[in-house]
Amino acid sequence: MSIPSPSGDAADPALICSARGCRAPARWALRWRNPRLHDAERRKTWLACAEHRATLGDFLDARGFLREVVPVSGSPTLDV
């Protein structure tokens, strides 16, 4: 989803938290994979704001999916 940046440039995509109903800017990339579906190199990414980092991480970790949590700008799966 793309929304205008504070500078007014609509081409600048805003990264929004993946938690249901949250519209806060994402600060963290939770990199995960389902080992039954994805090979070892595959990673999917959920984005999280500071408030939802723990709950999204706990959800993935309880299933054995969470691989790492990195700042959004450091996630190799995002084009930022």
Side-chain angles (χ1 to χ4, degrees), residues 3-75:
I3 60 174
S5 69
S7 65
D9 180 8
D12 182 21
L15 301 176
I16 304 298
C17 180
S18 298
R20 182 180 296 163
C22 185
R23 303 296 300 152
R27 300 290 180 235
W28 299 97
L30 289 75
R31 301 188 67 230
W32 64 278
R33 75 177 180 97
N34 181 337
R36 291 184 291 160
L37 301 176
H38 308 121
D39 61 39
E41 292 79 35
R42 174 89 187 263
R43 294 291 188 272
K44 298 189 88 172
T45 302
W46 280 0
L47 299 174
C49 65
E51 181 181 348
H52 292 111
R53 178 184 176 197
T55 55
L56 291 173
D58 289 347
F59 178 88
L60 293 168
D61 197 38
R63 289 153 181 80
F65 294 175
L66 187 62
R67 297 297 177 245
E68 65 183 330
V69 178
V70 296
V72 167
S73 61
S75 177

